[in-house]
Amino acid sequence: MDTTMGASRRRGRLAAVATVVTAAAFTTALTGCGSVDKTLDCVQTADTIADSVTDLQQAVEDAAHDPGRADAALDSIETQLRRIGDKTDSTDVNQAVDDLDRAVGRVRTALRNGDRTPDVGPVTDAAGELTKVCTT
């Protein structure tokens, strides 16, 4: 597959995730109650993670120029995952957090092993799943 086409598809998936997150955040903000506050926090954190995933994709594409940028994006995702994991008792959210954490770990391992273009698709997919469970 053409790398430009793959990058375009990844950006498209992230745009879709960002759209869902934004819509859910708006809808959730309008309803206002205790469990909604948790949902809103989950949605906002998922939105931050989506931004970090975008940063990760760009960092992987530019790894030759700035190899540390990918690590910073991975660190950001992991920080946000801890934030969600510490605040939820939802089995679905915790599973999505665990899946995303594993995907991030695989990318980090690939980078440490010298792979300058690791597959970030599983990270994107897991971030989309997290967004989905945060908004249901």
Side-chain angles (χ1 to χ4, degrees):
M1 173 189 317
D2 179 331
T3 56
T4 305
M5 181 183 249
S8 177
R9 283 188 181 146
R10 285 190 298 270
R11 280 191 211 82
R13 282 190 296 208
L14 280 178
V17 167
T19 300
V20 169
V21 168
T22 302
F26 180 72
T27 301
T28 304
L30 294 176
T31 58
C33 70
S35 65
V36 170
D37 289 340
K38 283 185 178 180
T39 301
L40 180 58
D41 189 51
C42 184
V43 168
Q44 289 170 335
T45 303
D47 187 37
T48 301
I49 289 171
D51 290 343
S52 296
V53 171
T54 300
D55 290 344
L56 174 62
Q57 288 177 323
Q58 292 170 349
V60 167
E61 290 172 11
D62 298 333
H65 302 292
D66 188 2
R69 186 170 164 209
D71 273 334
L74 292 168
D75 290 345
S76 176
I77 294 169
E78 288 173 335
T79 297
Q80 295 304 319
L81 288 175
R82 281 191 296 277
R83 183 171 176 229
I84 292 175
D86 290 346
K87 291 186 176 186
T88 187
D89 55 357
S90 167
T91 304
D92 292 336
V93 171
N94 281 323
Q95 181 63 51
V97 165
D98 291 345
D99 292 347
L100 182 51
D101 190 46
R102 279 190 295 278
V104 165
R106 286 190 294 273
V107 170
R108 189 180 298 278
T109 299
L111 288 168
R112 286 185 182 151
N113 290 337
D115 183 354
R116 292 293 167 212
T117 57
D119 180 13
V120 297
V123 173
T124 303
D125 294 343
E129 183 62 26
L130 177 61
T131 300
K132 187 169 92 178
V133 299
C134 281
T135 59
T136 57

